[in-house]
Amino acid sequence: MELTSAYDPDILALPFYEDRHRRLADTVGTWCDARAPQWKDVHREDPEKAGRRLVRLLGDEGRLAFLDPAAGPGEGDGDLRSVCLTREALAYAEDLADFAFSIQTLAATPVFRYGSQEQKERYLPGMARGTLIGAFAVSEPEAGSDLASIALRAERDENGGYVLHGEKAWIAHAGIADLYVVVARTGEGPGPLGLTAFLVPAATEGLRAGERLDAIAPRAFAPLAFDHCRLPADAVLGRPGKGFVIAMDLLERARMTVGAAALGFARRAADTALAHARTRRIGTQKLIDLQLTKAALADMDVRLNAAALLVARAGWEADRGSRRFARHSGIAKLYATEEAQRVIDSAVQLLGAAGVAGDGVTQRLYRQIRALRIYEGTSEVMRLTIAGTLDARRAALPARYL
């Protein structure tokens, strides 16, 4: 099988992956490569228009089919290794395509994991076709990585439903989404015990998306305001008081896929730097002949290999049902995003002025990678979370080693 440039075939050959994953990698990579001319036009579009178009394209081409398990098996059954491989290829090819895929997946996953049969039948077919755009609304002006600080209120009304008051901030696909998965405070208990997840159609009266935010990498990104936003009782996703569990389950699964996207960005930057170094002349030599260039390229390759292995292990741990997969997901997210930043920075440095000028690949990657170290848990939060798992390892060691 001839694999595309998005992947390292030696990594895919490892036992972390099965033949179905290798087939998926070949299919998705080839699909992305065939659309290379289209990707060049994406950045010239309004981010909201591009977001809508890309979600629909992904749906039309079957890349989102796994979001509706009731439709039957397709390419990639939606396990986390498949999602990671898809994000890696999309990120290598085009950031906004990966963004569209990731947000749609982020919104649909809690529906098919926790939704009622009626909720699944109502929303998942459209999300899988790309005709219904989803968004996941958790962050607030005073609550980012600390979900227990969520303040958006959901109060019971006289009909057994809920009324939402408050706001959400920095919501991806706000303004173009047809459905929001919203976590709000219903008060069944203090802190994380008092949160509930809701499915809120964008047309719900009292819900308004604010003006699009100007991010370092342009995309559909805006705040949400809830002003006496009334929801029926069947808008609850899962059970009242389980919103924190749903959100954390989703984030723990998503983090490794963020690492996969970072790996795609980094590999594209490294390939661009290598191609440049092979052709750029420095006096009588080529750039790649310089020892410092060889050292920089070697460091990139080491970082890519380590990140790819950590992402692969995290997906394998989750798909085999390990109860400690969240630890590996956090490790993969932390390492891959931090090291991708270094790889891309090195690529820009090797390209010199060409690395930051115009609409070149490396300057776009330089802007795009920065956000990955923040969302789905900042690098600082990831370090604290990983450190919190070390006591379990210590407890498992024989006393003679302590």
Side-chain angles (χ1 to χ4, degrees):
M1 179 189 303
E2 182 180 349
L3 294 170
T4 66
S5 53
Y7 303 106
D8 181 337
D10 292 333
I11 296 290
L12 278 173
L14 295 174
F16 283 129
Y17 295 108
E18 301 168 23
D19 284 343
R20 60 192 176 92
H21 297 115
R22 298 178 188 104
R23 289 193 295 270
L24 175 69
D26 182 58
T27 300
V28 176
T30 301
W31 184 85
C32 287
D33 286 352
R35 280 150 188 80
Q38 293 176 255
W39 304 137
K40 293 181 181 178
D41 298 328
V42 167
H43 295 280
R44 298 186 179 94
E45 289 186 85
D46 174 84
E48 293 186 353
K49 181 180 178 181
R52 291 189 183 95
R53 183 170 70 83
L54 288 168
V55 172
R56 187 58 185 263
L57 173 66
L58 290 165
D60 287 345
E61 297 288 329
R63 303 275 71 86
L64 300 171
F66 69 95
L67 297 179
D68 183 16
E75 279 183 335
D77 59 6
D79 70 356
L80 283 164
R81 284 168 292 178
S82 297
V83 175
C84 285
L85 289 170
T86 301
R87 288 204 66 180
E88 185 178 345
L90 289 170
Y92 185 98
E94 169 49 48
D95 166 59
L96 284 175
D98 168 66
F99 185 73
F101 175 86
S102 67
I103 302 306
Q104 192 76 345
T105 301
L106 197 68
T109 297
V111 180
F112 71 68
R113 283 184 60 77
Y114 296 96
S116 66
Q117 189 61 35
E118 191 276 333
Q119 289 170 333
K120 293 176 184 178
E121 292 174 356
R122 184 190 306 179
Y123 298 120
L124 291 181
M127 297 182 88
R129 291 193 300 269
T131 56
L132 187 153
I133 299 176
F136 185 61
V138 174
S139 296
E140 298 179 5
E142 303 299 328
S145 296
D146 181 13
L147 299 183
S149 298
I150 285 174
L152 175 68
R153 301 193 319 278
E155 300 171 347
R156 286 275 193 176
D157 65 14
E158 63 278 6
N159 299 316
Y162 293 84
V163 182
L164 274 59
H165 307 270
E167 58 186 332
K168 293 291 183 182
W170 311 296
I171 305 304
H173 278 179
I176 70 171
D178 303 295
L179 177 71
Y180 295 96
V181 179
V182 179
V183 178
R185 185 162 298 284
T186 49
E188 283 78 9
L193 301 178
L195 301 176
T196 298
F198 296 90
L199 296 176
V200 186
T204 304
E205 186 175 355
L207 170 60
R208 179 178 60 84
E211 291 187 14
R212 188 176 76 234
L213 302 173
D214 290 327
I216 189 171
R219 61 201 62 214
F221 199 50
L224 296 173
F226 299 81
D227 183 12
H228 291 83
C229 182
R230 292 188 175 273
L231 301 174
D234 63 5
V236 171
L237 180 63
R239 300 198 309 273
K242 297 298 181 183
F244 182 82
V245 172
I246 291 173
M248 286 305 302
D249 176 67
L250 177 62
L251 293 175
E252 288 168 353
R253 292 172 180 277
R255 283 169 180 156
M256 68 184 76
T257 78
V258 177
L263 178 59
F265 289 160
R267 197 179 302 283
R268 179 70 181 275
D271 287 349
T272 301
L274 178 59
H276 176 79
R278 282 174 170 164
T279 57
R280 176 77 161 91
R281 299 202 70 83
I282 305 293
T284 60
Q285 295 180 299
K286 291 185 178 178
L287 183 59
I288 199 169
D289 296 325
L290 302 179
Q291 296 300 310
L292 285 174
T293 301
K294 292 178 179 178
L297 292 170
D299 285 344
M300 289 183 194
D301 196 52
V302 170
R303 290 175 174 130
L304 289 171
N305 271 273
L309 288 168
L310 288 171
V311 169
R313 182 186 179 177
W316 176 75
E317 293 280 6
D319 291 339
R320 76 186 185 97
S322 170
R323 289 185 294 178
R324 287 170 58 79
F325 85 87
R327 163 183 164 82
H328 299 289
S329 187
I331 290 172
K333 196 266 186 189
L334 173 63
Y335 185 87
T337 56
E338 291 288 319
E339 296 307 309
Q341 181 88 60
R342 292 184 174 91
V343 169
I344 294 170
D345 186 74
S346 293
V348 170
Q349 198 72 12
L350 281 174
L351 268 73
V356 294
D359 193 34
V361 171
T362 52
Q363 70 86 16
R364 289 205 311 269
L365 291 169
Y366 195 83
R367 289 185 288 109
Q368 292 157 358
I369 189 58
R370 191 59 186 84
L372 272 63
R373 294 167 59 201
I374 296 172
Y375 65 67
E376 263 83 303
T378 66
S379 293
E380 291 74 20
V381 168
M382 289 297 91
R383 289 184 174 97
L384 292 175
T385 301
I386 294 164
T389 67
L390 297 179
D391 283 343
R393 171 174 169 77
R394 181 180 181 278
L397 288 173
R400 63 181 176 274
Y401 291 116
L402 300 177

